[in-house]
Amino acid sequence: MSSPTSKNLKIKYEIKRIPIRRGDYVIILRGNQKGKLGKITQCSRRNFFIFVENVIGVKTSNMNYFIQINPSNVLVSKINLTDTRKEKFLKGNCTYSGKFDNKYLDLNALD
């Protein structure tokens, strides 16, 4: 599950989309909760949705619950950098490697 990044993160890490993890801060772009900012509390890879800290609904029995949000509807504004994640971003493993460029160049050269 990945989401688009903010302009600051695009410039800093040279990446457009990033895999979401618990602890990242996101801004909701679409839906009824549009414009809210919050921290990701849970990611469900099985059902493909996330829970954000400040996005809460109320049941008729006055119990609170987290609203499910699709990861494509949020914008990552701040990354939770753990040790393994920091290594990936500092080494540049997340940027486009261009490994398929030679394949397409060879096909074009045959024509």
Side-chain angles (χ1 to χ4, degrees):
M1 291 190 309
S2 61
S3 294
T5 57
S6 65
K7 290 182 182 180
N8 297 335
L9 295 178
K10 283 180 188 177
I11 294 168
K12 186 174 183 180
Y13 295 112
E14 298 176 356
I15 186 168
K16 292 181 180 179
R17 298 181 69 82
I18 187 171
I20 289 185
R21 285 199 182 172
R22 186 177 0 166
D24 291 346
Y25 285 88
V26 295
I27 301 170
I28 300 174
L29 298 177
R30 294 179 190 90
N32 294 336
Q33 309 297 327
K34 182 178 180 179
K36 289 191 177 181
L37 172 71
K39 183 178 177 182
I40 296 177
T41 56
Q42 184 180 359
C43 295
S44 174
R45 295 189 186 273
R46 180 179 175 206
N47 298 326
F48 203 72
F49 58 79
I50 60 173
F51 294 125
V52 180
E53 194 173 57
N54 296 335
V55 182
I56 297 174
V58 180
K59 293 184 178 182
T60 55
S61 61
N62 292 330
M63 293 184 63
N64 294 336
Y65 66 95
F66 288 109
I67 296 175
Q68 301 174 359
I69 299 171
N70 194 320
S72 64
N73 295 338
V74 299
L75 180 76
V76 178
S77 60
K78 185 178 176 186
I79 303 173
N80 179 18
L81 289 176
T82 57
D83 293 334
T84 56
R85 213 166 183 206
K86 188 182 286 187
E87 289 175 6
K88 283 184 180 180
F89 287 114
L90 295 179
K91 286 182 181 177
N93 290 343
C94 293
T95 58
Y96 175 69
S97 63
K99 65 181 180 179
F100 296 111
D101 288 345
N102 293 336
K103 178 181 174 184
Y104 293 119
L105 289 175
D106 293 337
L107 292 175
N108 291 334
L110 294 174
D111 291 339

